[in-house]
Amino acid sequence: MPPAIPGKPIDSDIEHTLRQHVAFLCNTLPHKFPGSQPVSFGSHHLQALQREDYWVCEKSDGIRLLLFIVINPRGNVQEVYLIDRHNKYYEQDGLVFPHFTDPIRSLRDTLLDCELVEDTDPRTGMKTLRLLIFDCLIADSENIMDRPLTKRYGRIRDRVYKPFSAMLTKFPEFRKQLPFQIAVKEMKPSYHVASVLSSLPTLQHTSDGLIFTPVTTFYVPGTDSNLLKWKPKADNSIDLLLLLHFPSSTRPSEPDLAALPRAALYTWLGGSQYAFFDLLALSPSTWEKWKASGESYHGRVVEVAWEEKTEEWRVLRFRDDKPNANHVSVVEKVLESIRDGVEPEEVRSSLSFLAKRSYFVARTSSTSDPRSLERTRRRPKTAGTTATTAAGETHQINVGYHAPCG
């Protein structure tokens, strides 16, 4: 179970102003989460890893967030927020980030890509909430999304983490007021993938795969076809919208909310459009557990994986941290990864020989300027409140019509 997001939601007017400001800094749309999203790994990506420069890190099974540091012009006071994938802002008390040139000054507009995890000490069982920073979009009011990963990662360490860590060393009493601990996520050249895979069992938080980040390309808001998410073949999953369709009760106009419903899964088409994908095999025993829990399951995003033995979709967890199900284009890529999955040994053997090639090692340590490369930014399109059935028909989806369970 992912940890809860710390902090408090903010006033809608202030949130609107902050969204506009972040959109201005990132050159993105204000109503969209500006973070980058990976694509699922397929066997054809092995050639890309051999051909291009990539860094690899473990894929934490936590909550994806952005950390936003901003100066409030009223009073010239620094404020810190966490931004979730719903583009909701949570104000954080107790966090202070000094400026890298002068610890007396405050760091200005800075936007960091992070994952919130809950680490558990295997000896004591003590749990620690930790924010792992792995990328930087804005550093002290400077947009660095068009810089290579080496530069962006360096800004995290030099301009954010080092001054922050030095402050805690000088004033250790500040640690008591922190809402969570902060660390920079370790990333390595892709040819070190074997050591990263070997480290997964030793982590104090759950990890469900690897992330391969391209070194020389830009940071891309939304889906980035060069940013790769690898999972073992059996662990590839899809996030789908779950709608429960109940049979009629003795009163034809009212559904029987106690009866076993038809559990339908839908892919996202963009905007408010959804298309029927498949049925979820909901057993009577599982339905009774859901009812007894008192939770609402209808209209939620659910993460499912394909069970080859039973040829059914298996529920992994509910993804309330995600505002939408996976887009149909993402679903197609995940299905391709399920059919054409890459096992750990294939990844190891494909990349291990690169470490022996001195020119490749030298190349991955370079900091080539990617500004000569072309980049196209995708702009999302709005759509109506419709859905497509299994027969291909488009119709209105009323999530509120089918009453939630419990």
Side-chain angles (χ1 to χ4, degrees):
M1 179 70 68
I5 300 176
K8 54 188 177 183
I10 61 176
D11 178 81
S12 58
D13 291 337
I14 298 176
E15 187 172 62
H16 175 75
T17 301
L18 290 172
R19 286 174 178 168
Q20 295 285 343
H21 188 49
V22 169
F24 171 76
L25 292 170
C26 298
N27 190 27
T28 55
L29 297 176
H31 64 284
K32 293 293 184 179
F33 178 74
S36 188
Q37 305 292 343
V39 298
S40 294
F41 197 98
S43 60
H44 61 284
H45 287 124
L46 291 173
Q47 293 182 356
L49 295 183
Q50 295 173 358
R51 185 177 62 250
E52 306 294 339
D53 299 341
Y54 273 84
W55 282 4
V56 62
C57 65
E58 58 93 6
K59 181 182 175 297
S60 306
D61 190 16
I63 299 179
R64 171 75 178 285
L65 298 166
L66 296 177
L67 181 70
F68 184 41
I69 305 165
V70 63
I71 300 296
N72 189 332
R74 295 181 179 179
N76 199 34
V77 178
Q78 186 187 78
E79 296 176 348
V80 181
Y81 299 90
L82 289 178
I83 310 172
D84 69 9
R85 278 194 271 205
H86 296 266
N87 213 20
K88 297 290 293 181
Y89 285 63
Y90 299 82
E91 187 173 6
Q92 304 299 309
D93 294 328
L95 275 176
V96 177
F97 290 90
H99 200 271
F100 51 91
T101 62
D102 181 2
I104 302 300
R105 296 171 53 199
S106 296
L107 189 65
R108 301 171 297 171
D109 294 338
T110 298
L111 190 63
L112 306 166
D113 209 341
C114 320
E115 189 88 11
L116 184 68
V117 299
E118 187 176 66
D119 284 345
T120 302
D121 190 307
R123 296 170 299 173
T124 65
M126 181 179 295
K127 297 183 181 299
T128 302
L129 203 59
R130 183 170 283 113
L131 192 70
L132 304 177
I133 306 173
F134 55 83
D135 213 329
C136 181
L137 292 75
I138 312 293
D140 197 43
S141 301
E142 180 188 8
N143 186 318
I144 59 171
M145 296 163 65
D146 62 351
R147 303 292 181 88
L149 177 62
T150 49
K151 295 291 187 182
R152 302 196 310 265
Y153 194 73
R155 294 294 173 86
I156 298 171
R157 290 191 174 278
D158 297 336
R159 301 199 175 186
V160 180
Y161 186 73
K162 285 184 178 179
F164 178 77
S165 180
M167 178 193 68
L168 294 182
T169 300
K170 187 174 182 179
F171 304 102
E173 62 273 16
F174 283 5
R175 295 181 184 273
K176 299 178 182 178
Q177 65 187 34
L178 296 178
F180 42 77
Q181 293 189 11
I182 294 178
V184 180
K185 195 168 194 177
E186 184 180 17
M187 305 180 80
K188 296 181 178 181
S190 61
Y191 54 80
H192 287 297
V193 67
S195 66
V196 178
L197 282 169
S198 300
S199 71
L200 298 185
T202 67
L203 296 173
Q204 294 187 4
H205 56 266
T206 305
S207 177
D208 58 355
L210 303 172
I211 294 291
F212 291 93
T213 305
V215 174
T216 59
T217 60
F218 308 130
Y219 187 99
V220 179
T223 301
D224 182 357
S225 60
N226 294 312
L227 183 61
L228 308 177
K229 174 182 64 177
W230 174 87
K231 291 183 178 183
K233 183 176 180 180
D235 294 341
N236 275 292
S237 60
I238 308 175
D239 299 324
L240 300 166
L241 177 68
L242 173 65
L243 295 183
L244 302 177
H245 302 274
F246 294 89
S248 300
S249 64
T250 53
R251 297 180 180 180
S253 61
E254 297 181 5
D256 184 356
L257 301 181
L260 180 67
R262 175 176 170 267
L265 301 170
Y266 293 80
T267 59
W268 185 47
L269 301 180
S272 298
Q273 289 186 323
Y274 283 86
F276 175 80
F277 174 74
D278 204 349
L279 291 176
L280 176 69
L282 183 60
S283 66
S285 59
T286 299
W287 172 238
E288 291 302 320
K289 290 179 181 178
W290 284 13
K291 286 195 296 183
S293 72
E295 290 189 49
S296 174
Y297 294 93
H298 173 79
R300 291 169 67 179
V301 176
V302 61
E303 183 178 355
V304 297
W306 180 249
E307 193 68 55
E308 287 191 1
K309 292 182 179 180
T310 60
E311 295 189 343
E312 295 175 340
W313 293 104
R314 170 171 50 93
V315 174
L316 299 179
R317 57 175 170 163
F318 286 88
R319 297 302 305 264
D320 298 326
D321 59 313
K322 291 195 171 183
N324 298 298
N326 286 149
H327 190 269
V328 61
S329 59
V330 176
V331 171
E332 289 300 325
K333 289 182 173 63
V334 176
L335 291 177
E336 180 182 345
S337 294
I338 293 175
R339 293 188 293 264
D340 186 32
V342 179
E343 297 298 347
E345 190 51 44
E346 294 179 76
V347 178
R348 287 192 187 95
S349 60
S350 177
L351 297 176
S352 61
F353 77 95
L354 292 178
K356 302 176 182 178
R357 291 160 56 177
S358 58
Y359 80 89
F360 184 88
V361 176
R363 191 182 73 189
T364 57
S365 62
S366 67
T367 56
S368 57
D369 190 345
R371 283 173 286 189
S372 61
L373 303 177
E374 294 183 359
R375 174 176 63 165
T376 301
R377 288 194 176 183
R378 299 177 181 177
R379 296 300 186 188
K381 297 180 180 180
T382 57
T385 311
T386 58
T388 306
T389 65
E393 300 173 344
T394 301
H395 64 89
Q396 292 282 334
I397 280 281
N398 185 353
V399 175
Y401 175 75
H402 305 283
C405 308

